[in-house]
Amino acid sequence: MVDRLSRAFYRRDARIVARQLLGQRLVRLIEGRRVSGVIVEVEAYLGIPDRAAHTYQGRRTARNASMWKDGGHAYVYFTYGMHHCMNVVAGEENQPVAVLLRALQPVEGLDIMRRNRQSKTTSSRPLRDTDLCSGPAKLCQALRIDRLLDGEDLVLVPALWIERTRRRSHPTALIATGPRIGIANAESWTEKPLRYYLKNNPHVSRPR
DNA sequence: ATGACGATTTACT
DNA sequence: GTAAATCGTCATA
């Protein structure tokens, strides 16, 4: 049943991995239950030459150390003093490229997701399904992904992985591309179309 | 030791 | 649309 993506899947160009992650399923085990969603939006970060990447110019620090690991590891970072974001490391070891997971379409464990998200929101209004995982920090909240999972191997760890739900990647006609979100002053890298998302999917963070 | 800055989200005008 | 929240991280000293 569990068709976990293999090392070989991740050990490729980050742009290829990004496109092929669309439609696959991110699964998190929480208290013995599966909490999961289909990946509907991602962004590729191309490493040393990429002005917008944490590893631009070969920067290697305590925070971004996982990005230098072999493809298939998780790179989870903390930002804005309150949010976590999850990347999937692509390429080979010492090739610091990754794919940021920006949005999921919730599939399993919506009640747990809602609880995880609601408790961190002051609002008492019930959250709509499209508010559960429609952003990189939202999906980390919903699936309880934090720095404890940074550097973990998605090919091996028991509580977090990505499952293959489709043999072939989505047809190009169903994938939209555009500039990455939240990137400023990255010169030519600001506008490169490294954001990929499923057209007309209501769960993406910022619909076209 | 210090200061500036986020690969964001939420609430409010 | 604009702004506040909130603090780990990193570059500079």
Side-chain angles (χ1 to χ4, degrees):
Chain A
M1 314 305 115
V2 183
D3 194 2
R4 204 184 268 235
L5 294 183
S6 68
R7 185 75 63 208
F9 177 94
Y10 299 109
R11 275 184 183 154
R12 296 179 294 166
D13 185 286
R15 289 161 295 196
I16 302 296
V17 174
R19 295 186 82 95
Q20 299 206 4
L21 278 175
L22 293 176
Q24 314 295 1
R25 183 187 299 192
L26 178 68
V27 186
R28 175 90 167 103
L29 228 45
I30 298 178
E31 289 155 21
R33 287 188 53 197
R34 286 169 56 101
V35 181
S36 73
V38 170
I39 298 169
V40 298
E41 178 185 355
V42 296
E43 284 175 0
Y45 284 86
L46 306 187
I48 295 171
D50 184 351
R51 184 77 193 265
H54 290 165
T55 50
Y56 175 56
Q57 287 185 321
R59 277 194 278 262
R60 187 170 194 158
T61 66
R63 175 171 83 147
N64 71 19
S66 325
M67 237 181 118
W68 294 81
K69 292 192 174 191
D70 198 358
H73 287 79
Y75 168 42
V76 182
Y77 68 90
F78 183 66
T79 190
Y80 289 104
M82 61 190 103
H83 297 303
H84 292 279
C85 294
M86 174 180 172
N87 291 258
V88 172
V89 178
E92 316 227 328
E93 189 174 4
N94 290 322
Q95 193 186 336
V97 299
V99 177
L100 172 69
L101 303 184
R102 287 197 55 92
L104 308 178
Q105 172 167 341
V107 175
E108 299 171 285
L110 296 247
D111 55 324
I112 294 179
M113 291 185 187
R114 194 164 275 109
R115 202 155 58 231
N116 291 342
R117 292 267 300 125
Q118 201 90 52
S119 62
K120 304 200 174 192
T121 300
T122 57
S123 166
S124 55
R125 299 190 305 281
L127 286 168
R128 295 167 299 180
D129 289 1
T130 49
D131 291 324
L132 294 176
C133 298
S134 53
K138 293 180 186 176
L139 73 89
C140 282
Q141 253 182 32
L143 302 202
R144 288 193 209 164
I145 293 166
D146 59 26
R147 278 228 107 199
L148 292 175
L149 288 165
D150 177 57
E152 292 291 347
D153 190 346
L154 300 175
V155 176
L156 297 173
V157 289
L160 181 67
W161 67 92
I162 300 176
E163 279 177 19
R164 186 181 294 282
T165 62
R166 41 191 308 115
R167 182 147 193 82
R168 297 186 62 81
S169 56
H170 273 289
T172 301
L174 298 180
I175 299 177
T177 65
R180 293 172 291 185
I181 305 293
I183 304 300
N185 309 315
E187 294 169 6
S188 68
W189 291 87
T190 305
E191 293 297 324
K192 286 189 192 292
L194 294 172
R195 174 180 181 231
Y196 307 85
Y197 58 99
L198 295 183
K199 283 179 183 168
N200 302 317
N201 188 294
H203 299 275
V204 301
S205 66
R206 276 185 34 185
R208 166 72 59 82

